[in-house]
PDB file of all heavy atoms in Angstrom:
ATOM      1  N   LEU A 266       0.860  -1.174   0.000  1.00 96.00           N
ATOM      2  CA  LEU A 266       0.000   0.000   0.000  1.00 96.00           C
ATOM      3  C   LEU A 266       0.896   1.223   0.000  1.00 96.00           C
ATOM      4  O   LEU A 266       1.797   1.351   0.831  1.00 96.00           O
ATOM      5  CB  LEU A 266      -0.913   0.016   1.233  1.00 96.00           C
ATOM      6  CG  LEU A 266      -1.920   1.157   1.279  1.00 96.00           C
ATOM      7  CD1 LEU A 266      -2.955   1.021   0.155  1.00 96.00           C
ATOM      8  CD2 LEU A 266      -2.616   1.202   2.626  1.00 96.00           C
ATOM      9  N   TYR A 267       0.641   2.118  -0.963  1.00 96.00           N
ATOM     10  CA  TYR A 267       1.433   3.333  -1.124  1.00 96.00           C
ATOM     11  C   TYR A 267       0.568   4.544  -0.803  1.00 96.00           C
ATOM     12  O   TYR A 267      -0.636   4.524  -1.014  1.00 96.00           O
ATOM     13  CB  TYR A 267       1.951   3.445  -2.555  1.00 96.00           C
ATOM     14  CG  TYR A 267       3.017   2.421  -2.892  1.00 96.00           C
ATOM     15  CD1 TYR A 267       2.695   1.094  -3.121  1.00 96.00           C
ATOM     16  CD2 TYR A 267       4.355   2.793  -2.979  1.00 96.00           C
ATOM     17  CE1 TYR A 267       3.663   0.161  -3.423  1.00 96.00           C
ATOM     18  CE2 TYR A 267       5.338   1.863  -3.281  1.00 96.00           C
ATOM     19  CZ  TYR A 267       4.981   0.543  -3.508  1.00 96.00           C
ATOM     20  OH  TYR A 267       5.947  -0.376  -3.807  1.00 96.00           O
ATOM     21  N   ARG A 268       1.233   5.619  -0.343  1.00 98.00           N
ATOM     22  CA  ARG A 268       0.522   6.853  -0.001  1.00 98.00           C
ATOM     23  C   ARG A 268       1.261   8.033  -0.633  1.00 98.00           C
ATOM     24  O   ARG A 268       2.491   8.081  -0.644  1.00 98.00           O
ATOM     25  CB  ARG A 268       0.473   7.027   1.509  1.00 98.00           C
ATOM     26  CG  ARG A 268      -0.103   8.359   1.959  1.00 98.00           C
ATOM     27  CD  ARG A 268      -0.282   8.456   3.460  1.00 98.00           C
ATOM     28  NE  ARG A 268       0.970   8.268   4.178  1.00 98.00           N
ATOM     29  CZ  ARG A 268       1.035   7.994   5.475  1.00 98.00           C
ATOM     30  NH1 ARG A 268      -0.055   7.874   6.200  1.00 98.00           N
ATOM     31  NH2 ARG A 268       2.196   7.831   6.066  1.00 98.00           N
ATOM     32  N   THR A 269       0.485   8.977  -1.141  1.00 97.00           N
ATOM     33  CA  THR A 269       1.028  10.247  -1.593  1.00 97.00           C
ATOM     34  C   THR A 269       0.349  11.362  -0.810  1.00 97.00           C
ATOM     35  O   THR A 269      -0.838  11.266  -0.490  1.00 97.00           O
ATOM     36  CB  THR A 269       0.822  10.462  -3.110  1.00 97.00           C
ATOM     37  OG1 THR A 269       1.356  11.743  -3.477  1.00 97.00           O
ATOM     38  CG2 THR A 269      -0.640  10.405  -3.511  1.00 97.00           C
ATOM     39  N   LEU A 270       1.099  12.388  -0.501  1.00 97.00           N
ATOM     40  CA  LEU A 270       0.557  13.553   0.194  1.00 97.00           C
ATOM     41  C   LEU A 270       0.467  14.753  -0.746  1.00 97.00           C
ATOM     42  O   LEU A 270       0.075  15.842  -0.323  1.00 97.00           O
ATOM     43  CB  LEU A 270       1.435  13.897   1.403  1.00 97.00           C
ATOM     44  CG  LEU A 270       1.616  12.765   2.422  1.00 97.00           C
ATOM     45  CD1 LEU A 270       2.602  13.174   3.502  1.00 97.00           C
ATOM     46  CD2 LEU A 270       0.281  12.357   3.019  1.00 97.00           C
ATOM     47  N   ASP A 271       0.844  14.547  -2.030  1.00 98.00           N
ATOM     48  CA  ASP A 271       0.899  15.647  -2.987  1.00 98.00           C
ATOM     49  C   ASP A 271       0.254  15.291  -4.328  1.00 98.00           C
ATOM     50  O   ASP A 271       0.760  15.630  -5.382  1.00 98.00           O
ATOM     51  CB  ASP A 271       2.342  16.114  -3.187  1.00 98.00           C
ATOM     52  CG  ASP A 271       3.269  14.980  -3.621  1.00 98.00           C
ATOM     53  OD1 ASP A 271       2.784  13.907  -4.041  1.00 98.00           O
ATOM     54  OD2 ASP A 271       4.491  15.172  -3.533  1.00 98.00           O
ATOM     55  N   ARG A 272      -0.864  14.583  -4.261  1.00 96.00           N
ATOM     56  CA  ARG A 272      -1.658  14.227  -5.446  1.00 96.00           C
ATOM     57  C   ARG A 272      -0.883  13.409  -6.478  1.00 96.00           C
ATOM     58  O   ARG A 272      -1.083  13.548  -7.670  1.00 96.00           O
ATOM     59  CB  ARG A 272      -2.243  15.457  -6.108  1.00 96.00           C
ATOM     60  CG  ARG A 272      -3.269  16.156  -5.276  1.00 96.00           C
ATOM     61  CD  ARG A 272      -3.875  17.302  -6.022  1.00 96.00           C
ATOM     62  NE  ARG A 272      -4.893  17.921  -5.203  1.00 96.00           N
ATOM     63  CZ  ARG A 272      -5.968  18.485  -5.683  1.00 96.00           C
ATOM     64  NH1 ARG A 272      -6.179  18.513  -6.965  1.00 96.00           N
ATOM     65  NH2 ARG A 272      -6.840  19.025  -4.878  1.00 96.00           N
ATOM     66  N   GLY A 273       0.002  12.552  -6.009  1.00 95.00           N
ATOM     67  CA  GLY A 273       0.667  11.617  -6.900  1.00 95.00           C
ATOM     68  C   GLY A 273       2.041  12.007  -7.401  1.00 95.00           C
ATOM     69  O   GLY A 273       2.654  11.243  -8.146  1.00 95.00           O
ATOM     70  N   ARG A 274       2.555  13.150  -6.999  1.00 95.00           N
ATOM     71  CA  ARG A 274       3.907  13.516  -7.447  1.00 95.00           C
ATOM     72  C   ARG A 274       4.960  12.611  -6.815  1.00 95.00           C
ATOM     73  O   ARG A 274       5.900  12.201  -7.477  1.00 95.00           O
ATOM     74  CB  ARG A 274       4.201  14.979  -7.133  1.00 95.00           C
ATOM     75  CG  ARG A 274       3.505  15.946  -8.064  1.00 95.00           C
ATOM     76  CD  ARG A 274       3.971  17.386  -7.798  1.00 95.00           C
ATOM     77  NE  ARG A 274       2.889  18.306  -8.027  1.00 95.00           N
ATOM     78  CZ  ARG A 274       1.955  18.664  -7.154  1.00 95.00           C
ATOM     79  NH1 ARG A 274       1.961  18.178  -5.946  1.00 95.00           N
ATOM     80  NH2 ARG A 274       1.005  19.518  -7.473  1.00 95.00           N
ATOM     81  N   THR A 275       4.804  12.332  -5.523  1.00 95.00           N
ATOM     82  CA  THR A 275       5.733  11.432  -4.831  1.00 95.00           C
ATOM     83  C   THR A 275       4.928  10.401  -4.051  1.00 95.00           C
ATOM     84  O   THR A 275       3.837  10.700  -3.571  1.00 95.00           O
ATOM     85  CB  THR A 275       6.650  12.202  -3.852  1.00 95.00           C
ATOM     86  OG1 THR A 275       5.837  12.881  -2.891  1.00 95.00           O
ATOM     87  CG2 THR A 275       7.518  13.206  -4.599  1.00 95.00           C
ATOM     88  N   TRP A 276       5.479   9.200  -3.932  1.00 95.00           N
ATOM     89  CA  TRP A 276       4.796   8.104  -3.253  1.00 95.00           C
ATOM     90  C   TRP A 276       5.742   7.447  -2.264  1.00 95.00           C
ATOM     91  O   TRP A 276       6.950   7.387  -2.495  1.00 95.00           O
ATOM     92  CB  TRP A 276       4.343   7.041  -4.265  1.00 95.00           C
ATOM     93  CG  TRP A 276       3.264   7.497  -5.172  1.00 95.00           C
ATOM     94  CD1 TRP A 276       3.424   8.125  -6.379  1.00 95.00           C
ATOM     95  CD2 TRP A 276       1.864   7.359  -4.982  1.00 95.00           C
ATOM     96  NE1 TRP A 276       2.209   8.388  -6.938  1.00 95.00           N
ATOM     97  CE2 TRP A 276       1.226   7.926  -6.105  1.00 95.00           C
ATOM     98  CE3 TRP A 276       1.078   6.806  -3.969  1.00 95.00           C
ATOM     99  CZ2 TRP A 276      -0.150   7.956  -6.241  1.00 95.00           C
ATOM    100  CZ3 TRP A 276      -0.294   6.834  -4.100  1.00 95.00           C
ATOM    101  CH2 TRP A 276      -0.904   7.410  -5.230  1.00 95.00           C
ATOM    102  N   ARG A 277       5.163   6.913  -1.179  1.00 95.00           N
ATOM    103  CA  ARG A 277       5.920   6.137  -0.197  1.00 95.00           C
ATOM    104  C   ARG A 277       5.109   4.894   0.161  1.00 95.00           C
ATOM    105  O   ARG A 277       3.909   4.984   0.411  1.00 95.00           O
ATOM    106  CB  ARG A 277       6.171   6.959   1.052  1.00 95.00           C
ATOM    107  CG  ARG A 277       6.769   6.105   2.179  1.00 95.00           C
ATOM    108  CD  ARG A 277       7.129   6.903   3.352  1.00 95.00           C
ATOM    109  NE  ARG A 277       8.394   7.550   3.025  1.00 95.00           N
ATOM    110  CZ  ARG A 277       8.906   8.546   3.706  1.00 95.00           C
ATOM    111  NH1 ARG A 277       8.267   9.035   4.739  1.00 95.00           N
ATOM    112  NH2 ARG A 277      10.052   9.066   3.374  1.00 95.00           N
ATOM    113  N   ARG A 278       5.769   3.747   0.204  1.00 95.00           N
ATOM    114  CA  ARG A 278       5.085   2.513   0.611  1.00 95.00           C
ATOM    115  C   ARG A 278       4.900   2.527   2.125  1.00 95.00           C
ATOM    116  O   ARG A 278       5.858   2.710   2.864  1.00 95.00           O
ATOM    117  CB  ARG A 278       5.883   1.290   0.180  1.00 95.00           C
ATOM    118  CG  ARG A 278       5.179   0.005   0.528  1.00 95.00           C
ATOM    119  CD  ARG A 278       5.709  -1.204  -0.182  1.00 95.00           C
ATOM    120  NE  ARG A 278       7.138  -1.337  -0.053  1.00 95.00           N
ATOM    121  CZ  ARG A 278       7.821  -2.360  -0.566  1.00 95.00           C
ATOM    122  NH1 ARG A 278       7.206  -3.302  -1.243  1.00 95.00           N
ATOM    123  NH2 ARG A 278       9.118  -2.414  -0.416  1.00 95.00           N
ATOM    124  N   ILE A 279       3.644   2.341   2.569  1.00 97.00           N
ATOM    125  CA  ILE A 279       3.358   2.362   4.005  1.00 97.00           C
ATOM    126  C   ILE A 279       2.979   0.980   4.540  1.00 97.00           C
ATOM    127  O   ILE A 279       2.873   0.801   5.742  1.00 97.00           O
ATOM    128  CB  ILE A 279       2.267   3.391   4.361  1.00 97.00           C
ATOM    129  CG1 ILE A 279       0.940   3.080   3.677  1.00 97.00           C
ATOM    130  CG2 ILE A 279       2.746   4.806   4.038  1.00 97.00           C
ATOM    131  CD1 ILE A 279      -0.230   3.917   4.168  1.00 97.00           C
ATOM    132  N   ALA A 280       2.767   0.017   3.643  1.00 96.00           N
ATOM    133  CA  ALA A 280       2.514  -1.373   4.060  1.00 96.00           C
ATOM    134  C   ALA A 280       3.117  -2.289   3.010  1.00 96.00           C
ATOM    135  O   ALA A 280       2.845  -2.144   1.819  1.00 96.00           O
ATOM    136  CB  ALA A 280       1.022  -1.645   4.201  1.00 96.00           C
ATOM    137  N   LYS A 281       3.926  -3.199   3.445  1.00 91.00           N
ATOM    138  CA  LYS A 281       4.620  -4.111   2.543  1.00 91.00           C
ATOM    139  C   LYS A 281       3.919  -5.471   2.577  1.00 91.00           C
ATOM    140  O   LYS A 281       4.262  -6.338   3.362  1.00 91.00           O
ATOM    141  CB  LYS A 281       6.080  -4.234   2.963  1.00 91.00           C
ATOM    142  CG  LYS A 281       6.917  -5.019   2.010  1.00 91.00           C
ATOM    143  CD  LYS A 281       8.370  -5.024   2.448  1.00 91.00           C
ATOM    144  CE  LYS A 281       9.209  -5.838   1.503  1.00 91.00           C
ATOM    145  NZ  LYS A 281      10.613  -5.869   1.915  1.00 91.00           N
ATOM    146  N   LYS A 282       2.929  -5.609   1.744  1.00 89.00           N
ATOM    147  CA  LYS A 282       2.212  -6.869   1.576  1.00 89.00           C
ATOM    148  C   LYS A 282       2.339  -7.286   0.123  1.00 89.00           C
ATOM    149  O   LYS A 282       2.450  -6.450  -0.774  1.00 89.00           O
ATOM    150  CB  LYS A 282       0.731  -6.730   1.957  1.00 89.00           C
ATOM    151  CG  LYS A 282       0.503  -6.472   3.411  1.00 89.00           C
ATOM    152  CD  LYS A 282       0.904  -7.671   4.219  1.00 89.00           C
ATOM    153  CE  LYS A 282       0.908  -7.377   5.700  1.00 89.00           C
ATOM    154  NZ  LYS A 282       1.711  -8.334   6.436  1.00 89.00           N
ATOM    155  N   TYR A 283       2.273  -8.570  -0.121  1.00 82.00           N
ATOM    156  CA  TYR A 283       2.529  -9.134  -1.434  1.00 82.00           C
ATOM    157  C   TYR A 283       1.493  -8.718  -2.479  1.00 82.00           C
ATOM    158  O   TYR A 283       1.848  -8.318  -3.576  1.00 82.00           O
ATOM    159  CB  TYR A 283       2.582 -10.654  -1.258  1.00 82.00           C
ATOM    160  CG  TYR A 283       2.984 -11.451  -2.449  1.00 82.00           C
ATOM    161  CD1 TYR A 283       4.140 -11.161  -3.145  1.00 82.00           C
ATOM    162  CD2 TYR A 283       2.216 -12.523  -2.864  1.00 82.00           C
ATOM    163  CE1 TYR A 283       4.523 -11.915  -4.235  1.00 82.00           C
ATOM    164  CE2 TYR A 283       2.592 -13.286  -3.938  1.00 82.00           C
ATOM    165  CZ  TYR A 283       3.747 -12.980  -4.630  1.00 82.00           C
ATOM    166  OH  TYR A 283       4.126 -13.732  -5.699  1.00 82.00           O
ATOM    167  N   ARG A 284       0.219  -8.782  -2.136  1.00 92.00           N
ATOM    168  CA  ARG A 284      -0.846  -8.524  -3.117  1.00 92.00           C
ATOM    169  C   ARG A 284      -1.944  -7.663  -2.504  1.00 92.00           C
ATOM    170  O   ARG A 284      -2.932  -8.163  -1.992  1.00 92.00           O
ATOM    171  CB  ARG A 284      -1.434  -9.844  -3.600  1.00 92.00           C
ATOM    172  CG  ARG A 284      -0.440 -10.665  -4.371  1.00 92.00           C
ATOM    173  CD  ARG A 284      -1.015 -11.993  -4.759  1.00 92.00           C
ATOM    174  NE  ARG A 284      -0.085 -12.666  -5.653  1.00 92.00           N
ATOM    175  CZ  ARG A 284      -0.133 -13.929  -5.957  1.00 92.00           C
ATOM    176  NH1 ARG A 284      -1.080 -14.691  -5.439  1.00 92.00           N
ATOM    177  NH2 ARG A 284       0.743 -14.459  -6.775  1.00 92.00           N
ATOM    178  N   VAL A 285      -1.797  -6.353  -2.598  1.00 95.00           N
ATOM    179  CA  VAL A 285      -2.798  -5.428  -2.062  1.00 95.00           C
ATOM    180  C   VAL A 285      -3.793  -5.094  -3.160  1.00 95.00           C
ATOM    181  O   VAL A 285      -3.417  -4.732  -4.265  1.00 95.00           O
ATOM    182  CB  VAL A 285      -2.149  -4.147  -1.503  1.00 95.00           C
ATOM    183  CG1 VAL A 285      -3.203  -3.141  -1.071  1.00 95.00           C
ATOM    184  CG2 VAL A 285      -1.236  -4.496  -0.329  1.00 95.00           C
ATOM    185  N   GLU A 286      -5.067  -5.239  -2.834  1.00 96.00           N
ATOM    186  CA  GLU A 286      -6.149  -4.944  -3.780  1.00 96.00           C
ATOM    187  C   GLU A 286      -6.629  -3.508  -3.654  1.00 96.00           C
ATOM    188  O   GLU A 286      -6.731  -2.786  -4.624  1.00 96.00           O
ATOM    189  CB  GLU A 286      -7.333  -5.888  -3.539  1.00 96.00           C
ATOM    190  CG  GLU A 286      -7.067  -7.328  -3.891  1.00 96.00           C
ATOM    191  CD  GLU A 286      -7.107  -7.600  -5.377  1.00 96.00           C
ATOM    192  OE1 GLU A 286      -7.583  -6.751  -6.153  1.00 96.00           O
ATOM    193  OE2 GLU A 286      -6.647  -8.682  -5.768  1.00 96.00           O
ATOM    194  N   SER A 287      -6.980  -3.085  -2.426  1.00 98.00           N
ATOM    195  CA  SER A 287      -7.618  -1.794  -2.227  1.00 98.00           C
ATOM    196  C   SER A 287      -7.483  -1.378  -0.770  1.00 98.00           C
ATOM    197  O   SER A 287      -6.856  -2.079   0.033  1.00 98.00           O
ATOM    198  CB  SER A 287      -9.105  -1.887  -2.606  1.00 98.00           C
ATOM    199  OG  SER A 287      -9.731  -0.637  -2.527  1.00 98.00           O
ATOM    200  N   CYS A 288      -8.100  -0.236  -0.450  1.00 98.00           N
ATOM    201  CA  CYS A 288      -8.146   0.229   0.934  1.00 98.00           C
ATOM    202  C   CYS A 288      -9.342   1.147   1.091  1.00 98.00           C
ATOM    203  O   CYS A 288      -9.960   1.557   0.110  1.00 98.00           O
ATOM    204  CB  CYS A 288      -6.849   0.937   1.320  1.00 98.00           C
ATOM    205  SG  CYS A 288      -6.611   2.512   0.498  1.00 98.00           S
ATOM    206  N   ALA A 289      -9.663   1.478   2.337  1.00 98.00           N
ATOM    207  CA  ALA A 289     -10.763   2.400   2.623  1.00 98.00           C
ATOM    208  C   ALA A 289     -10.476   3.112   3.938  1.00 98.00           C
ATOM    209  O   ALA A 289     -10.157   2.473   4.933  1.00 98.00           O
ATOM    210  CB  ALA A 289     -12.093   1.654   2.722  1.00 98.00           C
ATOM    211  N   VAL A 290     -10.591   4.445   3.911  1.00 97.00           N
ATOM    212  CA  VAL A 290     -10.401   5.265   5.104  1.00 97.00           C
ATOM    213  C   VAL A 290     -11.729   5.342   5.848  1.00 97.00           C
ATOM    214  O   VAL A 290     -12.775   5.596   5.249  1.00 97.00           O
ATOM    215  CB  VAL A 290      -9.923   6.685   4.728  1.00 97.00           C
ATOM    216  CG1 VAL A 290      -9.739   7.545   5.974  1.00 97.00           C
ATOM    217  CG2 VAL A 290      -8.631   6.628   3.919  1.00 97.00           C
ATOM    218  N   ASP A 291     -11.685   5.118   7.145  1.00 96.00           N
ATOM    219  CA  ASP A 291     -12.880   5.178   7.982  1.00 96.00           C
ATOM    220  C   ASP A 291     -13.457   6.593   7.940  1.00 96.00           C
ATOM    221  O   ASP A 291     -12.755   7.554   8.281  1.00 96.00           O
ATOM    222  CB  ASP A 291     -12.499   4.793   9.412  1.00 96.00           C
ATOM    223  CG  ASP A 291     -13.678   4.659  10.351  1.00 96.00           C
ATOM    224  OD1 ASP A 291     -14.703   5.347  10.146  1.00 96.00           O
ATOM    225  OD2 ASP A 291     -13.569   3.879  11.306  1.00 96.00           O
ATOM    226  N   PRO A 292     -14.721   6.761   7.546  1.00 93.00           N
ATOM    227  CA  PRO A 292     -15.295   8.104   7.470  1.00 93.00           C
ATOM    228  C   PRO A 292     -15.494   8.759   8.838  1.00 93.00           C
ATOM    229  O   PRO A 292     -15.641   9.971   8.928  1.00 93.00           O
ATOM    230  CB  PRO A 292     -16.639   7.883   6.775  1.00 93.00           C
ATOM    231  CG  PRO A 292     -16.979   6.465   7.030  1.00 93.00           C
ATOM    232  CD  PRO A 292     -15.668   5.728   7.122  1.00 93.00           C
TER     233      PRO A 292
END
């Protein structure tokens, strides 16, 4: 799972799992 704080200009991996499908932030 990767995260960007600048709309996709830079990315950082925040979870190292083999096969990530999706995610959802708790509203």
Side-chain angles (χ1 to χ4, degrees):
L266 184 66
Y267 290 75
R268 173 174 59 197
T269 179
L270 303 175
D271 56 15
R272 293 184 178 212
R274 285 187 214 86
T275 59
W276 292 89
R277 171 175 282 166
R278 183 164 52 178
I279 61 170
K281 187 176 179 181
K282 293 293 171 200
Y283 187 52
R284 295 176 172 165
V285 175
E286 292 283 347
S287 185
C288 69
V290 179
D291 187 331

